[in-house]
């Protein structure tokens, strides 16, 4: 669902219950809900599921689980347990479902958490995901808001998964040809989250359905802060530009673009393809982290060898929240 539709529906709900245990709930939208147990511990709750974006059932399971776990990491939490959510047509055969669940199980295991159960529904189109529960220290949780003027903006995975998955569906790419992308989507955001915590990140979210610009916009308060990113610093999965230029733009990218109309200032030299990529909805995208520049070295040093990260922009003071894209 696009951000505009979602807002309309949420407005129709009665106001969220006020309890002091609710640190993050419906009234303060963020990556996951946070419920305080005591002064040291809070539970982090999230759930996510979707239709297959790759053909290999095991890898689809892994990606779906990495994506569901990501919202726990975006809050600075540690995953504890997960429940499977399965919609599946029996006609596809139980072996395929077993492979999807094995992929999900392996990703949850890698996260140090356990799958405790789940629920299945007979459905025409397969869907898979998980509800995940994690733990966070109430004083150390990472939320979307909190960046300040002068903070650096870091992204921890390349962009392009929506465009490349669209090209895969249309038969312009094979799954082998998007190997790096599949690996990237299956990778956990755990190390990036731990590094963000270690370096004292001011704010954090993960890049998913609203695209880079949609999720970055959610990091901006209603006034006082804006962000400038440089297009040349944005990392892309292989062949993203080529496939975008061929028109492999998912419908979600257009919704994201409409939603942000008037809130993004592009450098005049930027073409349509580059703009589409910045609105591209991501599956299991990286973390967006706001850090004081003098903490970047600590962030880098906290990441394991081989974990990529990219400094893509910087926050600055401005009366109204906008995102500037420079060449
Ligand atoms: Co999220
Ligand atoms: Co989320
Ligand atoms: Co989510």
């Amino acid at each position: 669902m696009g951000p505009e539709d979602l807002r309309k529906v949420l407005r129709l709900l009665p106001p969220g219950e006020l309890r002091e245990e609710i640190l993050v709930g419906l009234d303060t939208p963020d990556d996951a809900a946070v419920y305080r147990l005591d002064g040291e511990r809070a539970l982090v709750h999230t759930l996510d599921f979707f239709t297959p974006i790759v053909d290999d059932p095991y890898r689809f399971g892994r990606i779906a689980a990495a994506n569901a776990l990501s919202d726990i990491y975006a809050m600075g939490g540690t995953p504890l347990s997960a429940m499977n959510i399965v919609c599946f047509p029996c006609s596809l055969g139980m072996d395929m479902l077993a492979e999807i669940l094995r992929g999900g199980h392996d990703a949850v295991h890698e996260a140090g958490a356990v799958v405790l159960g789940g629920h299945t529904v007979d459905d025409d189109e397969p869907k898979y995901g998980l509800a995940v529960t994690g733990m966070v220290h109430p004083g150390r949780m990472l939320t979307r808001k909190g960046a300040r003027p002068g903070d650096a903006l870091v992204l921890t995975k390349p962009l392009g998964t929506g465009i490349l998955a669209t090209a895969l569906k249309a038969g312009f790419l094979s799954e082998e040809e998007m190997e790096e992308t599949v690996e990237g989507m299956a990778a956990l955001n755990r190390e990036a989250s731990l590094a963000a915590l270690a370096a004292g990140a001011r704010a954090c979210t993960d890049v998913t359905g609203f695209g880079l610009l949609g999720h970055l916009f959610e990091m901006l308060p209603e006034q006082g802060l804006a962000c400038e990113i440089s297009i040349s610093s944005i990392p892309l999965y292989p062949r993203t530009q080529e496939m975008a230029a061929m028109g492999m733009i998912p419908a979600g990218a257009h919704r994201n673009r409409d939603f942000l109309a008037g809130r993004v200032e592009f450098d005049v030299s930027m073409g349509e393809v580059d703009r589409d990529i910045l609105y591209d909805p991501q599956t299991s995208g990286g973390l967006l982290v706001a850090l004081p520049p003098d903490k970047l070295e600590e962030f880098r040093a906290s990441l394991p060898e081989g974990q990529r990260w990219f400094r893509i922009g910087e926050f600055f003071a401005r009366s109204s929240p906008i995102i500037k894209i420079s060449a």
Side-chain angles (χ1 to χ4, degrees):
M1 212 185 244
E4 193 58 61
D5 288 337
L6 190 57
R7 274 194 190 189
K8 276 185 200 147
V9 173
L10 289 178
R11 254 185 246 126
L12 299 176
L13 288 179
E17 196 182 338
L18 287 173
R19 279 198 209 186
E20 60 175 21
E21 288 88 355
I22 302 172
L23 303 184
V24 179
L26 281 172
D27 297 331
T28 49
D30 213 296
D31 291 298
V34 182
Y35 191 96
R36 187 171 60 84
L37 296 176
D38 54 38
E40 309 277 290
R41 300 173 308 154
L43 292 172
V44 189
H45 298 288
T46 187
L47 87 87
D48 224 322
F49 65 114
F50 46 75
T51 57
I53 54 158
V54 292
D55 297 328
D56 182 285
Y58 175 82
R59 300 179 99 180
F60 167 53
R62 274 205 77 111
I63 292 168
N67 181 77
L69 288 158
S70 177
D71 278 329
I72 303 282
Y73 292 129
M75 302 302 293
T78 306
L80 296 176
S81 62
M83 305 285 277
N84 286 319
I85 301 156
V86 179
C87 304
F88 199 74
C90 295
S91 58
L92 287 179
M94 288 305 116
D95 289 352
M96 182 181 285
L97 178 55
E99 276 298 281
I100 293 173
L101 294 179
R102 192 170 66 85
H105 178 102
D106 283 357
V108 170
H109 183 79
E110 189 188 325
V114 282
V115 178
L116 296 178
H119 187 72
T120 53
V121 172
D122 196 355
D123 196 355
D124 293 338
E125 194 178 17
K127 297 167 197 82
Y128 173 63
L130 303 102
V132 187
T133 301
M135 190 80 90
V136 73
H137 189 291
R140 275 169 59 85
M141 71 180 181
L142 298 171
T143 58
R144 289 170 178 170
K145 304 283 202 279
R148 295 185 205 161
D151 282 355
L153 178 67
V154 163
L155 175 66
T156 64
K157 285 186 190 179
L159 301 181
T161 70
I163 288 162
L164 295 169
T166 303
L168 176 72
K169 268 202 184 105
F172 287 102
L173 269 187
S174 70
E175 206 159 310
E176 292 70 42
E177 285 171 314
M178 54 183 283
E179 180 64 25
E180 190 181 324
T181 313
V182 174
E183 288 288 318
M185 289 189 288
L188 300 181
N189 278 329
R190 178 181 51 189
E191 308 299 343
S193 174
L194 291 173
L197 284 169
R202 289 220 174 98
C204 180
T205 190
D206 60 340
V207 183
T208 51
F210 302 161
L212 173 69
L213 296 183
H215 290 283
L216 174 54
F217 191 76
E218 290 183 325
M219 296 179 85
L220 301 177
E222 268 161 44
Q223 48 191 327
L225 193 68
C227 190
E228 175 160 7
I229 61 178
S230 128
I231 189 73
S232 56
S233 67
I234 305 286
L236 302 179
Y237 284 118
R239 306 187 66 176
T240 298
Q241 269 174 313
E242 176 196 347
M243 293 298 142
M246 285 170 61
M248 300 291 119
I249 309 298
H254 299 296
R255 278 198 299 268
N256 292 340
R257 186 178 191 142
D258 293 345
F259 181 67
L260 290 173
R263 291 151 167 171
V264 183
E265 291 175 3
F266 287 98
D267 186 89
V268 286
S269 68
M270 274 186 61
E272 281 300 302
V273 167
D274 283 338
R275 298 179 193 219
D276 285 339
I277 290 169
L278 298 179
Y279 291 114
D280 184 39
Q282 303 298 289
T283 298
S284 194
L287 295 187
L288 268 177
V289 185
L291 285 163
D294 63 351
K295 299 285 186 182
L296 282 169
E297 176 50 29
E298 213 170 327
F299 179 78
R300 187 202 60 78
S302 305
L303 288 174
E305 195 82 13
Q307 163 77 52
R308 301 164 77 192
W309 67 286
F310 314 87
R311 182 180 184 174
I312 63 167
E314 125 167 326
F315 293 89
F316 63 98
R318 181 157 157 167
S319 53
S320 55
I322 55 121
I323 302 172
K324 273 181 81 166
I325 322 284
S326 57

